[in-house]
Amino acid sequence: MAKKDQEFVKDITNMDEDFPQWYTDVITKTDLVDYSPVKGFMVIKPYGYAIWENIQAFLDRRFKETGHQNCYFPLLIPESLLNKEKEHVEGFAPEVAWVTHGGSEKLAERLCVRPTSETIICSMYSKWLTSYRELPYLYNQWCSVVRWEKSTRPFLRTSEFLWQEGHTLHETAEEAQAETLQMLAIYKEMAEDLLAIPVVDGRKSDRERFAGAAATYTIEALMHDGKALQSGTSHNLAQHFTKAFDITFQGRTGELEYPHHTSWGASTRLIGGIIMVHGDNRGLVLPPRVAPTQVVIIPIAQNKEGVLDKAYEIKKELEAKGIRVTLDDDTNYSPGWKFNQYEMKGVPLRLEIGPRDIENNVAMIARRDTLSKDSYSLDNIGDTVKNLLDTVHTDMLERARAHRDSKTFTFKDYEEFKRKMIETPGFAKGMWCGEEECEAKIKEDTGVTIRCIPFVQENLGETCQFCGKPAKHMVYLAKAY
Amino acid sequence: MAKKDQEFVKDITNMDEDFPQWYTDVITKTDLVDYSPVKGFMVIKPYGYAIWENIQAFLDRRFKETGHQNCYFPLLIPESLLNKEKEHVEGFAPEVAWVTHGGSEKLAERLCVRPTSETIICSMYSKWLTSYRELPYLYNQWCSVVRWEKSTRPFLRTSEFLWQEGHTLHETAEEAQAETLQMLAIYKEMAEDLLAIPVVDGRKSDRERFAGAAATYTIEALMHDGKALQSGTSHNLAQHFTKAFDITFQGRTGELEYPHHTSWGASTRLIGGIIMVHGDNRGLVLPPRVAPTQVVIIPIAQNKEGVLDKAYEIKKELEAKGIRVTLDDDTNYSPGWKFNQYEMKGVPLRLEIGPRDIENNVAMIARRDTLSKDSYSLDNIGDTVKNLLDTVHTDMLERARAHRDSKTFTFKDYEEFKRKMIETPGFAKGMWCGEEECEAKIKEDTGVTIRCIPFVQENLGETCQFCGKPAKHMVYLAKAY
């Protein structure tokens, strides 16, 4: 393996030496994404976009199964609408792009490119809603949003990104809360069942919640370098926006009421999470269920009679099982070159088939996640590969969980917290007083933020480990992307 | 029927009295779309968006079957890029929205919200392409575009619309031309096989072609009121953009060459076409394959034992055949009210099931397109409905074709052309000299434009029927949306 490793060292920076550079190398050399002529805006290339399409398919199916419908609201939002909810405009105004001219004419009112769509959607809901009979409103849209960022990194933080945003209205506070948690649970399911990324689910501190929300819930994942990635959020907006936008309905008693409101979103940032949770020094390691190509078939000595025929026969058999297959029979490249190439691109399984394999009625299958290679009978090869893909998924999820757990620590005091965050960065679990001032000081001292107040609480003590006041919550803390 | 017709007259303007008002009534009362607080921008409501999703699914499948991949390019385009292709910027600059500020800062260079993406995509292609081995590039993106319009109508002409835009590069001119025509053929297939809209396919005159194209091909449909709707276009861009953006590759001989380029798009405007081709005085008539709900099941006397059970059993049977079904068992509304409602919304089939039907092992099925109603055995009801949906599709396509043909006329001279265009508007087929000046005069005199030079040419004479010069092409002319 020494030789091969060296070859990769040429292409991709060692992740343990320079993780940011490793990330940049991986995303560009594997053709996921590219930088555009507009600073901070990315081009999502076909290989990256195909991953997004698989995420979309999973979420869209789950949204529809839970009664949601898609729709589309305008890209541009009048400044006066953005200004209606005070906390919201304070949060977003500093980072929106402003359209001031249409054609050669100056606009009477500036329009912002949507940074998120609560305001424009609420203005329509206010027009539409009349009676409790019409509730709940369960709508979602797939679109791009723009948030002007100074410092950007493809997928993780860009001035434009793709996402979905759900916006729902409910008759009661209980229903809105149930919806908020249901959608967070769907994000968690997506992270674990599709992306093989274990997540901690919980509530954001007030300081970290969405501008205008009563409560924000989040799923937080831990990356290879010990930093956290917020991977999906669901907001209970209570009646903040519905009051600001005067959305009312006639309730069961005949009185006018304000509905309860939620919104929730997940974005192309998830692709960054896949890369940073699973990747290694050879490049991408894609979880099978989200991988554009799940199996690459590479014929060996393909000029020998029968090899290509058999390779295509296997391809057909796998496709009949619903497996996404690429057969690479390009004669310009050697099998060895192809092995490297598809390893770098993170294809979960590589199936090699040559004359001797055919004689023995077997194929060699190499796993990208473990780099192990075994011989499998060609009888029922479709089922074999299908099961193997499930095994790879489960193993990747468990490995990621073990990695996260190994990087999750407790600490006896603030000094130990600070030291560990530098020496062995990861998730810290600690007790916190619940006060914003204390939280702000942690961030100022260390750059670390409270990622969430997890649903699963542990009692680690009675006093805040940062300021000594009585403790209110157990929290997860980390540096974050 | 007299009573029922009257009820509808209350809701929807008679289409033969005031077609524009009929259109407005239909789109708003059937919940397809709504006007937004931003002038000229529409909100696509769930019922309208579900139609778009079905169009997307059809096209996306066909694009992928023909080797295309999806990707995503930035929303915002620097002014300097837009300016690179002269004809293109002249065509689009007057109608783009300009972003001048990011957050509180004025930008060094204005960015336009993409009106179409040739320029930003070509800037990336120029960076990526090196060798003929990498060709063809077969990429597509689904997104929204903004073109500032003074006078707008939902779906037909709005300042923002949803579409797909394909952008391909090829080694040779022949391949680019073949791609251009292939994609037009896919649009035609979509119009006829999915939307039941017959179209005329052909080439645009130079005056009507896309800004920057060598040739634009189009599919043109005729609406109920005799006006044409351009329903999809495919452009052979030759080397206009590839030269302007300095996109080169090393060819087979080792020389640097410019690739040949195409782009093609179809948009939410198609939904306007569906409405105006098939709709009637009761509202929408949706072609079955694109209808969000293909069959609505309405239980009669649903409080009687067994009725709802049977209704749900039928629903399950239809869904097992892949049919999209809604069962409306809302007790707040009478069956009669529901009949009207789903007729207005254009659901292709209504299945009524009541106690007597169950006794006789039948269901009543009413067709939206013909308003006819028949009794069908419940044995194999899934297959029965599936076949009926196909029949409805075929009948709708043929009816639309007969309507179009009945509104297509020839004429002996310019005077007769003008008279017929006023008295019996529709497609005129005539001979044309091919000169832009002549074409401009027709438009100035009559508001009529040359819709296309159809692939299927007929020889209707030797001289231009508008100016008397020698004729070059047979053309279709019409007023257009």
Side-chain angles (χ1 to χ4, degrees):
Chain A
M1 284 299 182
K3 171 91 190 310
K4 227 186 214 169
D5 271 347
Q6 276 171 12
E7 280 171 24
F8 278 99
V9 170
K10 275 190 288 181
D11 288 338
I12 296 176
T13 303
N14 187 301
M15 67 196 303
D16 296 313
E17 284 167 15
D18 185 348
F19 194 72
Q21 187 57 47
W22 169 86
Y23 182 80
T24 303
D25 288 350
V26 168
I27 56 173
T28 51
K29 286 180 206 294
T30 59
D31 272 339
L32 289 176
V33 72
D34 201 357
Y35 302 90
S36 86
V38 194
K39 198 177 160 300
F41 285 66
M42 63 180 163
V43 173
I44 306 181
K45 298 178 83 170
Y47 198 52
Y49 199 85
I51 294 175
W52 180 237
E53 287 182 303
N54 288 334
I55 294 172
Q56 285 189 299
F58 184 100
L59 288 178
D60 203 65
R61 175 177 60 76
R62 295 293 291 126
F63 294 164
K64 284 174 178 160
E65 283 170 0
T66 47
H68 301 83
Q69 293 180 294
N70 288 328
C71 43
Y72 187 77
F73 292 86
L75 172 71
L76 302 180
I77 302 175
E79 185 165 16
S80 56
L81 277 188
L82 192 71
N83 289 344
K84 278 206 174 182
E85 211 286 335
K86 190 172 165 295
E87 216 179 273
H88 187 73
V89 64
E90 281 168 8
F92 282 104
E95 57 181 48
V96 297
W98 291 105
V99 171
T100 55
H101 290 73
S104 53
E105 278 173 37
K106 189 160 192 290
L107 303 179
E109 181 182 11
R110 298 200 297 178
L111 305 170
C112 76
V113 181
R114 65 176 160 237
T116 179
S117 301
E118 278 75 11
T119 56
I120 186 92
I121 291 180
C122 281
S123 79
M124 298 309 297
Y125 284 179
S126 151
K127 182 176 168 188
W128 296 340
L129 185 64
T130 62
S131 156
Y132 73 91
R133 287 181 204 277
E134 299 150 15
L135 293 173
Y137 275 12
L138 302 175
Y139 300 145
N140 175 66
Q141 78 174 351
W142 292 94
C143 61
S144 83
V145 288
V146 169
R147 299 177 186 177
W148 222 255
E149 299 277 359
K150 291 240 151 64
S151 161
T152 59
R153 189 103 52 101
F155 296 126
L156 299 174
R157 189 169 296 278
T158 44
S159 290
E160 181 190 18
F161 56 87
L162 301 182
W163 79 343
Q164 58 67 219
E165 44 178 328
H167 296 267
T168 71
L169 293 183
H170 305 267
E171 193 181 347
T172 67
E174 292 68 33
E175 282 167 24
Q177 178 65 5
E179 168 81 4
T180 309
L181 296 181
Q182 171 185 253
M183 301 325 287
L184 191 79
I186 286 177
Y187 290 149
K188 185 176 183 180
E189 181 191 328
M190 178 267 301
E192 302 193 344
D193 292 357
L194 182 71
L195 311 184
I197 296 179
V199 293
V200 176
D201 48 353
R203 185 163 59 81
K204 284 284 183 192
S205 67
D206 289 349
R207 189 188 152 87
E208 296 282 331
R209 67 172 157 65
F210 177 75
T216 287
Y217 299 87
T218 180
I219 54 170
E220 299 281 329
L222 198 70
M223 304 297 105
H224 178 85
D225 63 346
K227 284 168 81 173
L229 186 75
Q230 177 180 305
S231 304
T233 49
S234 185
H235 315 293
N236 186 333
L237 303 167
Q239 297 172 317
H240 298 179
F241 286 86
T242 61
K243 285 183 174 165
F245 282 84
D246 200 27
I247 306 175
T248 58
F249 65 95
Q250 195 168 42
R252 286 167 200 270
T253 61
E255 296 286 298
L256 275 191
E257 297 176 27
Y258 295 105
H260 300 261
H261 179 204
T262 87
S263 72
W264 26 275
S267 76
T268 38
R269 144 172 269 224
L270 287 164
I271 300 173
I274 296 171
I275 299 164
M276 293 195 296
V277 167
H278 300 299
D280 66 18
N281 277 327
R282 294 172 183 226
L284 286 177
V285 183
L286 293 180
R289 293 175 192 161
V290 83
T293 294
Q294 298 177 303
V295 183
V296 58
I297 300 178
I298 298 180
I300 311 293
Q302 67 181 64
N303 56 327
K304 293 276 166 62
E305 205 191 313
V307 171
L308 268 187
D309 286 348
K310 181 54 88 177
Y312 275 97
E313 191 188 312
I314 294 170
K315 177 169 190 263
K316 222 170 140 182
E317 212 172 322
L318 299 190
E319 284 174 343
K321 296 281 174 187
I323 298 166
R324 297 186 289 271
V325 187
T326 297
L327 193 162
D328 188 343
D329 59 2
D330 188 338
T331 52
N332 289 308
Y333 297 98
S334 70
W337 188 92
K338 292 178 189 173
F339 291 3
N340 285 359
Q341 194 60 19
Y342 292 100
E343 269 183 7
M344 185 171 78
K345 297 199 96 173
V347 175
L349 296 179
R350 177 181 78 233
L351 188 150
E352 309 163 14
I353 183 85
R356 202 175 314 165
D357 301 312
I358 295 173
E359 251 173 54
N360 297 327
N361 192 41
V362 297
M364 296 300 295
I365 300 182
R367 282 174 62 162
R368 175 62 183 92
D369 64 323
T370 57
L371 299 172
S372 63
K373 189 163 152 176
D374 275 302
S375 169
Y376 293 87
S377 165
L378 287 180
D379 299 338
N380 299 318
I381 188 73
D383 288 327
T384 303
V385 168
K386 214 171 156 53
N387 292 335
L388 208 46
L389 288 169
D390 277 337
T391 305
V392 170
H393 173 86
T394 309
D395 290 356
M396 286 179 72
L397 177 60
E398 287 320 310
R399 238 183 346 263
R401 201 187 301 278
H403 173 266
R404 182 193 66 185
D405 292 349
S406 78
K407 296 221 170 198
T408 301
F409 60 85
T410 53
F411 50 95
K412 62 174 198 294
D413 56 24
Y414 197 17
E415 287 315 306
E416 190 183 58
F417 168 83
K418 286 192 254 190
R419 205 187 63 241
K420 282 189 169 176
M421 268 298 170
I422 290 165
E423 289 171 6
T424 55
F427 272 141
K429 295 199 289 191
M431 299 306 293
W432 173 55
C433 58
E435 287 182 27
E436 215 166 313
E437 205 179 315
C438 171
E439 185 183 6
K441 187 165 183 310
I442 301 169
K443 184 163 186 192
E444 202 192 309
D445 288 352
T446 63
V448 171
T449 49
I450 294 178
R451 300 318 304 156
C452 71
I453 303 160
F455 291 144
V456 179
Q457 285 281 307
E458 298 169 56
N459 186 354
L460 303 173
E462 303 307 323
T463 55
C464 176
Q465 294 181 266
F466 305 96
C467 72
K469 289 191 187 156
K472 250 198 186 145
H473 309 288
M474 188 273 270
V475 293
Y476 275 84
L477 304 100
K479 290 199 175 170
Y481 280 96
Chain B
M1 284 297 182
K3 171 90 190 310
K4 226 186 215 170
D5 271 348
Q6 276 171 12
E7 280 171 26
F8 277 99
V9 170
K10 275 190 287 181
D11 288 338
I12 296 176
T13 302
N14 187 301
M15 68 196 303
D16 296 313
E17 284 166 15
D18 184 347
F19 194 72
Q21 188 57 46
W22 169 86
Y23 182 81
T24 302
D25 288 350
V26 169
I27 55 173
T28 52
K29 286 180 206 296
T30 59
D31 272 339
L32 289 176
V33 72
D34 201 357
Y35 302 90
S36 86
V38 194
K39 197 177 161 298
F41 285 66
M42 62 180 164
V43 173
I44 305 182
K45 299 177 83 171
Y47 198 51
Y49 199 85
I51 293 175
W52 180 236
E53 287 182 303
N54 289 334
I55 294 172
Q56 284 189 300
F58 184 101
L59 288 178
D60 203 64
R61 175 177 60 76
R62 294 293 291 126
F63 295 164
K64 284 175 177 159
E65 283 170 359
T66 47
H68 300 83
Q69 293 180 294
N70 288 327
C71 44
Y72 187 77
F73 292 86
L75 172 71
L76 302 180
I77 302 174
E79 185 165 16
S80 56
L81 277 189
L82 192 70
N83 290 344
K84 277 206 174 181
E85 211 286 336
K86 191 172 165 292
E87 216 180 273
H88 188 72
V89 64
E90 282 168 8
F92 282 104
E95 57 181 49
V96 298
W98 291 105
V99 171
T100 56
H101 290 74
S104 53
E105 278 173 37
K106 189 161 191 288
L107 303 179
E109 181 183 11
R110 298 199 297 178
L111 305 170
C112 76
V113 181
R114 66 177 158 237
T116 179
S117 300
E118 277 75 10
T119 56
I120 186 92
I121 291 180
C122 281
S123 79
M124 298 308 297
Y125 284 178
S126 150
K127 182 176 168 189
W128 295 341
L129 185 64
T130 62
S131 155
Y132 73 91
R133 286 180 205 277
E134 298 151 15
L135 293 174
Y137 275 12
L138 302 175
Y139 300 145
N140 175 66
Q141 78 175 351
W142 292 94
C143 61
S144 83
V145 288
V146 170
R147 299 177 185 176
W148 222 255
E149 299 277 359
K150 292 239 150 65
S151 162
T152 59
R153 189 104 52 101
F155 296 126
L156 299 174
R157 189 169 296 279
T158 45
S159 290
E160 182 191 19
F161 56 87
L162 302 181
W163 79 343
Q164 58 67 219
E165 45 178 327
H167 296 267
T168 71
L169 294 183
H170 305 267
E171 193 181 346
T172 66
E174 292 68 34
E175 282 168 24
Q177 178 65 5
E179 168 80 4
T180 309
L181 295 181
Q182 172 186 253
M183 301 324 286
L184 191 78
I186 286 177
Y187 290 148
K188 184 176 183 180
E189 181 191 329
M190 178 266 301
E192 301 193 345
D193 291 357
L194 182 71
L195 311 184
I197 296 179
V199 293
V200 175
D201 48 353
R203 185 163 58 82
K204 284 284 184 193
S205 66
D206 288 349
R207 189 188 152 87
E208 296 282 331
R209 67 172 157 65
F210 177 75
T216 287
Y217 298 87
T218 180
I219 53 169
E220 299 281 328
L222 198 70
M223 304 296 106
H224 178 85
D225 63 347
K227 284 168 80 172
L229 186 75
Q230 177 179 305
S231 304
T233 49
S234 186
H235 315 293
N236 186 333
L237 303 167
Q239 296 172 318
H240 298 179
F241 286 86
T242 61
K243 285 183 174 165
F245 283 84
D246 199 27
I247 305 174
T248 57
F249 65 95
Q250 195 168 42
R252 287 167 199 269
T253 61
E255 296 286 298
L256 275 191
E257 298 176 27
Y258 295 105
H260 299 260
H261 179 205
T262 86
S263 72
W264 26 275
S267 77
T268 38
R269 145 172 268 224
L270 287 164
I271 300 173
I274 296 171
I275 299 164
M276 293 195 294
V277 166
H278 299 299
D280 65 18
N281 277 327
R282 294 171 183 228
L284 285 177
V285 183
L286 292 180
R289 293 175 192 162
V290 82
T293 293
Q294 298 177 303
V295 183
V296 58
I297 300 178
I298 298 180
I300 312 293
Q302 67 181 64
N303 55 328
K304 293 276 166 63
E305 205 192 313
V307 171
L308 268 187
D309 287 347
K310 181 54 89 176
Y312 275 97
E313 191 188 312
I314 294 170
K315 177 169 190 264
K316 222 170 141 184
E317 212 173 322
L318 300 191
E319 283 174 343
K321 296 282 175 186
I323 297 166
R324 298 186 289 271
V325 187
T326 296
L327 194 162
D328 188 343
D329 59 2
D330 188 339
T331 52
N332 289 308
Y333 298 98
S334 70
W337 189 92
K338 292 177 188 173
F339 291 2
N340 285 358
Q341 194 61 18
Y342 291 101
E343 269 183 6
M344 186 170 79
K345 296 199 96 173
V347 175
L349 296 178
R350 177 181 78 232
L351 188 150
E352 309 163 14
I353 183 86
R356 203 175 314 166
D357 301 313
I358 295 172
E359 250 174 55
N360 298 326
N361 192 42
V362 297
M364 296 301 296
I365 300 182
R367 282 174 62 163
R368 175 62 183 92
D369 64 323
T370 57
L371 299 172
S372 63
K373 190 163 152 176
D374 275 301
S375 169
Y376 293 87
S377 164
L378 286 180
D379 298 338
N380 299 318
I381 188 72
D383 288 326
T384 303
V385 168
K386 215 171 156 52
N387 292 335
L388 208 46
L389 288 169
D390 277 337
T391 305
V392 170
H393 173 86
T394 309
D395 290 356
M396 285 180 72
L397 177 60
E398 287 320 311
R399 238 183 345 263
R401 201 187 301 278
H403 174 266
R404 181 193 67 185
D405 292 349
S406 78
K407 296 222 170 199
T408 302
F409 60 85
T410 53
F411 51 95
K412 63 174 196 294
D413 55 25
Y414 197 17
E415 287 314 306
E416 190 183 58
F417 168 83
K418 286 193 254 190
R419 205 187 64 240
K420 282 189 169 175
M421 267 298 169
I422 290 165
E423 288 171 5
T424 55
F427 272 142
K429 295 199 290 191
M431 300 307 293
W432 173 54
C433 58
E435 286 182 27
E436 215 167 313
E437 204 180 316
C438 170
E439 185 182 7
K441 188 165 183 308
I442 301 170
K443 184 163 186 192
E444 202 192 309
D445 288 352
T446 63
V448 171
T449 49
I450 294 178
R451 301 317 304 156
C452 72
I453 303 160
F455 291 144
V456 179
Q457 285 281 307
E458 298 168 55
N459 186 353
L460 304 172
E462 303 307 323
T463 55
C464 175
Q465 294 180 266
F466 305 96
C467 72
K469 287 190 187 157
K472 250 198 187 145
H473 309 288
M474 188 273 271
V475 293
Y476 275 84
L477 304 101
K479 289 198 175 171
Y481 280 95

